[in-house]
Each structure stands twice: as C-alpha cells, then as structure tokens.
Amino acid sequence: MTAARTPGHGPLTGVRVVELAGIGPGPFAAMLLADLGADVVRVDRPGGPGLALDPAHDVTNRNKRSVVVDLKAPDGPARVLDLAERADVLIEGYRPGVAERLGVGPGHCHARNPRLVYGRMTGWGQDGPLAPRAGHDVAYIALTGALGLIGDPDRPPAVPANLLGDFAGGSLYLVVGVLAALHHAREHGTGQVVDAAIVDGTAHLSALLHGMLAAGAWQDRRRANLLDGGCPYYGTYETADGRHLAVGALEPQFYADFLDVLGLDGFADAHADPARWEELRAAVAERLRSRTRDEWTAAFEGTDACVAPVLTLREAPHHPHLAARGTFTDHDGLTQPAPAPRFSATPTTVRTGPARPGADTEAVARDWDVPGLPAPSDATEPRTDRSPLLRSPHGKAPQ
C-alpha cells in the first residue's frame, strides 16, 4: 500500500470552501468536503443558524472553521466576497434570488473570482413553478415518486427520516456536482453554477426502477415488487423480543441457506412462484417469531443467507463488523460516523469537532489573508428558543 502523502487530511487538502450557513443538506455536503480534506469556512449568522441543537453536538460542522458575518449589515456582503475571492468553492442554500438580493449571488462572486464553483442547494431547484416555495425532505421525495415506494400498501408511506431526500438526493449530488465543476475549473480556468435540487437528485436515484417499470418488471404500487417488501425473502420480520431481522436472500443459493437455517421444508420451489409468496411469508414470519433477534443473528452467523439484525443508532457502532472497520469513531466523547469513503494514499479522519460560531475568525483572517473580518461577539451566541425550521436552507431562508 502506498504511504499517505497527507496523513489524516484527505484528497481535497488545499481546496478552499466557503459555506453560507444553513441547516440540513448544505452543511452535510460541506462536512463531506471537509472530511475529504478541504478547508471549509462556515459563514455563520449572528445568533446562530436557527437549529435547536447545541453547536458542540452538531456533527455536520466537524472539520470546519467558523466566522460570523451579518449579511444584512452594510459591510456584510463585502466580507463574504473577500472570502469568495480566495476560495475554490462556495455553497449556499437560500431560496432562489435571496443570495442575489443579499449581494453574494453568482454574479457578484464571479466578478471577483471567475474560477469559483458556486454550489446552490435547494429542494425545488432554481426554477420551475415551486422554486420560490418552502418545503422539506418529505415533500420533495413525495413529488418524485420515491416516498410512494416505501411501506405497506394499506398504510401511509413510511418516512425514511430525511436520509433519502436531504442527504442522498441533495447533499451527495451537490458534492458530485461541485467536484465535477472543480475539475472543469482547473482544466479550463472558468467556474460555474451547480444547481443541486433535491427533487432532481432523488428522481435520479430511481433510474433503475424507471427502467424496470418500462420493461414491465416493476408494479407501480407499494410492496408488490422484488425490492420493496413485496417479496417474502427480501424484507423485514419481527422476532420474539419485538425486534427485527432484515432478510435479503434474493439469489437461489442464498435462499437455500435461508431456508436451511430456518428449518423450513417444502418451500424450495416457492422462491420462483409468486403464487406461494404469501404462504411462504406467513411461514417465515411464524418461524422468526420463535426466537429473539440476537438468537437468530447467532444462528445465521457464518452463512450466506443475507440476514442481518435491524440495529438502532446506539447499537450500530458496537456491531463487530462495523467496530472492526472503524465505521464509527469517537471524537471528544462524541460518537459519530467516520469519514467515508476511504483512500489508500490520502486517508481521512475527524480532525476537529463541530465548529463553534465565530470561533475561528482570527485564524481564517490570517490563513486566507482576509482583512476586516469582524471579531466574534456575544451576539454570535446561538439561540435555542426557536423552531429548527425557521431558517431551513431549502425552506424558510432569509427573504
């Protein structure tokens, strides 16, 4: 294995990113860039971002530095433009038109730095009938058809936290777009705007399913298909202790292992016979309810039955496989997912804990050679007496 050239910093070492503070997918995207080694400076608002969470526990702000700038103050936009002039990337999550009204839109920034990659994170996108409207993850994934895929057919669709829209369809697509535009800027010397809309990214995630739908291999309803719980050997089951197992025994050889561990006879041919799926589902459910989750986990250990325990957030870091890989890490007593993915030559790590609003003003001013950054004051202390929705990066952003 090649020795690391920049131990603990990652492949984006040397890349400068300005993040205009928000909550949700924008900060997560900036965290990912910071995890990969970028020097991310978060521009916080006086009074904090509006998220009712102690900044010391906001993991999405790890590996970053923070300054506080009041964009509505007379000199606020100029301070952000000073940073943008020295940056490779800027990320903002306001409603369309807000950054322009504040004086920090793409035109303002590119006038100072034509090579800048300007990343825009919204739910609905920069144009279209819904572009100016408020929204949140559940509404975005609902419109794309993704939410309608999840859950039982006789109950409302199940909400997958905000993982599918905000972070998968939003943050990850913004990062892909930013990295592609950064490559273009370095090859051609010109920056551009990256319009990352959660509706676009979430729709893109369903590409395979749209192909299956067109081919007649997917029914446009819940729990009627191979991968949505409609298949009895791909889904979740309750165990004797009220916990659950996840079963993914799709291929015939894995299905055979699954039946063998369960001790179920007479169902070898049911794998390929949808007419027997309900009978098979009932038999599997009854059998799995006969033991606890952990007893079944032990029984399936070492097999290729593709069965795993459904763990809670607190349990997951202690699973032997995840512990062996270091999938989770502890930093200053805070358990959190470790940076991903992994690199052989430029490994990543959690270098610093969550940035405190305004705590890094002096260091950023020195390192980026930005004179005139305002010093932090008592006005920068975060408020926790308001709804976390008040300043959503793709909902109720500053007007």
Side-chain angles (χ1 to χ4, degrees):
M1 181 180 294
T2 304
R5 293 190 296 273
T6 54
H9 286 80
L12 291 185
T13 297
V15 173
R16 289 179 171 180
V17 178
V18 176
E19 174 200 352
L20 301 187
I23 64 173
F28 187 91
M31 180 202 74
L32 182 49
L33 295 172
D35 284 354
L36 296 178
D39 182 5
V40 176
V41 172
R42 177 177 166 95
V43 179
D44 277 299
R45 307 181 183 101
L51 179 64
L53 176 66
D54 181 350
H57 294 95
D58 188 354
V59 172
T60 65
N61 284 329
R62 72 186 184 191
N63 288 338
K64 303 177 184 179
R65 301 193 286 178
S66 170
V67 301
V68 171
V69 174
D70 184 356
L71 276 169
K72 295 184 178 180
D75 63 344
R79 302 287 76 77
V80 170
L81 293 177
D82 285 342
L83 290 167
E85 182 177 351
R86 295 158 173 80
D88 301 289
V89 177
L90 182 144
I91 290 175
E92 62 95 354
Y94 301 141
R95 293 198 209 189
V98 171
E100 285 83 351
R101 290 199 296 273
L102 290 172
V104 293
H108 303 95
C109 290
H110 283 145
R112 297 278 292 272
N113 181 1
R115 299 173 62 94
L116 183 73
V117 173
Y118 194 103
R120 316 198 83 163
M121 182 76 264
T122 61
W124 303 118
Q126 295 298 313
D127 53 42
L130 293 176
R133 301 277 71 83
H136 277 290
D137 177 291
V138 69
Y140 309 138
I141 67 174
L143 216 63
T144 65
L147 181 60
L149 297 169
I150 307 170
D152 294 329
D154 56 348
R155 303 178 67 181
V159 178
N162 66 331
L163 301 177
L164 178 55
D166 277 357
F167 301 137
S171 303
L172 297 186
Y173 278 85
L174 176 59
V175 169
V176 169
V178 161
L179 294 179
L182 185 60
H183 172 74
H184 179 272
R186 290 185 168 181
E187 287 289 314
H188 302 283
T190 56
Q192 60 184 300
V193 176
V194 178
D195 175 6
I198 294 173
V199 289
D200 296 347
T202 306
H204 194 262
L205 290 169
S206 65
L208 173 64
L209 301 186
H210 276 276
M212 295 175 70
L213 183 66
W218 189 274
Q219 299 183 58
D220 200 11
R221 54 192 179 91
R222 289 194 298 283
R223 207 178 181 193
N225 301 283
L226 195 65
L227 302 175
D228 66 355
C231 169
Y233 43 89
Y234 194 90
T236 58
Y237 289 91
E238 186 176 1
T239 54
D241 52 353
R243 297 179 178 180
H244 297 86
L245 286 177
V247 176
L250 287 176
E251 289 79 2
Q253 67 272 28
F254 303 153
Y255 176 72
D257 280 358
F258 178 58
L259 292 185
D260 183 58
V261 174
L262 288 181
L264 284 180
D265 297 323
F267 288 98
D269 296 335
H271 180 275
D273 185 3
R276 297 193 63 194
W277 279 4
E278 288 310 309
E279 177 191 3
L280 173 61
R281 189 190 311 278
V284 170
E286 181 180 8
R287 188 76 181 96
L288 290 178
R289 279 195 297 266
S290 68
R291 299 186 193 178
T292 67
R293 183 196 68 181
D294 293 345
E295 288 173 337
W296 279 120
T297 299
F300 281 104
E301 181 72 24
T303 75
D304 278 341
C306 300
V307 173
V310 178
L311 302 181
T312 67
L313 290 176
R314 292 190 185 279
E315 290 177 313
H318 304 290
H319 187 275
H321 179 77
L322 303 185
R325 283 186 57 80
T327 299
F328 291 85
T329 187
D330 288 303
H331 188 276
D332 288 342
L334 182 59
T335 300
Q336 56 196 282
R342 304 181 185 197
F343 300 86
S344 61
T346 54
T348 59
T349 188
V350 178
R351 305 183 301 278
T352 63
R356 308 301 177 91
D360 307 293
T361 301
E362 183 177 346
V364 171
R366 178 190 67 241
D367 296 346
W368 284 35
D369 190 23
V370 183
L373 277 178
S377 67
D378 292 341
T380 67
E381 288 300 314
R383 293 168 52 191
T384 58
D385 59 341
R386 55 186 172 187
S387 165
L389 305 183
L390 290 183
R391 290 194 176 180
S392 164
H394 46 289
K396 298 184 180 179
Q399 300 300 301

